[in-house]
Amino acid sequence: MSELKAHQIVLAARPQGRPKLSDFRLEETEVPTPSAGQILLRVQYLSLDPYMRGRMDERKSYAEPVPLGGVMQGESVATVIASKHPNYSEGDIVLAQTGWRTHALSDRSDLRKLDPAVAPVTTGLGVLGMPGFTAYGGLRVIGKPKPRETVVVAAASGPVGSLVGQLAKIGGARAVGIAGGPAKCAYVKDDLRFDAAIDHRAADFPSRLAAACPNGIDVYFENVGGAIWQAVLPLLNNFARVPVSGLVAQYNGVGKGDGTDRLPATMREILSKSLTVRGFINYEFAAEHYPAFLSEVSAGIADGRIRYREDFVDSLENAPEAFIGMLEGRNFGKLIVRVSA
Ligand SMILES: NC(=O)c1ccc[n+]([C@@H]2O[C@H](COP(=O)([O-])OP(=O)(O)OC[C@H]3O[C@@H](n4cnc5c(N)ncnc54)[C@H](OP(=O)(O)O)[C@@H]3O)[C@@H](O)[C@H]2O)c1
């Protein structure tokens, strides 16, 4: 791609089920010029996140869908390359909602500046950013694990799940992770030091999960839904808490989901076990909890109690393929596109 031009990836078609490469289109544009009050950003790293799949559908959710022909939304680590805004100078590195582009204008006065001396800047997209805060907020505000309780989380090698289990353990609970395949399970158990890691692709997954939770489940941090929720449901203890963070197993579903309609059974368990099941979007907790999240998790990274993993893909044009793969578990760790050096 030419360095004198800007590039962006737009939504070319609304996906039917699993997104296809033809649902995205790479476009070349001029590099924009900032006017008074604006800054020009060159994107270094683009975050790819499961929520983006929902924005590709017409259906209204907590956020507006991306219009057809619109630039795919997303957060990036970007460098200020020209500034007409008093708060920013050339060379500043910021977290910004740029979308899937190489260059973007911003007139925001509240971009989060990142200091590479404090932590690698990419952590602002993962463990020290929106996914990390999702783990922190969901666990602290809804899950509230107590020492010796059992906390279960799926997508456990990803940026949300990996921090859920590590924070649970730091607080004295037992952490059981669910992940796809032996390599991810070994990482969750050996590197992240969860008490157990169970492969959801194993034929006897429900009985393996039950064996790993001999005292039942007190907190199930829901990232996935579908067949995993079905295996978790009978293991929930009375008064279990279920922060409902995401349902990635059904993001590509059209109508029928994955064929495991357990709604009646779900409602019965909620009633008979007095479960607390609460959905949330991470920013609902931001005003009260964000500063504590940043200081606690930064300290945990600095002293080695909290670990994280990043999965890099090179070049903006490879973002669609990487994004499609993430929805099937081909990423291993926080998925980030290296857009420019
Ligand atoms: N509520 C909020 O504010 C908020 C904010 C951020 C994220 N979230 C949600 O948190 C969840 C995790 O996000 P993340 O950024 O940490 O993603 P991630 O773990 O980096 O990537 C998604 C992972 O989901 C797993 N997965 C996909 N399909 C699956 C299936 N059918 N069954 C089981 N696992 C499946 C895969 O891991 P395996 O290979 O291990 O299966 C895949 O790697 C998502 O549901 C996301 O939407 C919510």
Side-chain angles (χ1 to χ4, degrees), residues 130 134 158-160 179-180 184 200 223-224 245-246 249 251 280 282 329 331:
M130 185 277 284
T134 300
V160 176
K184 287 185 179 180
H200 66 82
N223 277 334
V224 169
S245 151
Y251 290 174
F280 71 100
N282 65 87
N331 68 309

Side-chain angles (χ1 to χ4, degrees), residues 45 47 49 75-77 94-97 112-115 119-133 290 293-294 301 308 310 334 336:
Y45 298 102
S47 180
D49 297 272
E75 193 173 34
S76 312
V77 171
V94 295
L95 266 184
Q97 294 291 338
R112 192 173 127 205
K113 285 191 194 173
L114 298 172
D115 181 353
V121 289
T122 48
T123 56
L125 302 175
V127 64
L128 286 175
M130 185 277 284
F133 184 58
Y290 210 90
F293 154 68
L294 276 186
I301 292 172
Y308 65 95
E310 296 171 328
K334 170 63 205 154
I336 295 172

Side-chain angles (χ1 to χ4, degrees), residues 136-158:
Y136 183 95
L139 206 59
R140 290 285 154 88
V141 179
I142 303 172
K144 297 188 181 129
K146 301 186 195 77
R148 291 176 295 286
E149 284 192 333
T150 298
V151 176
V152 173
V153 63
S157 69

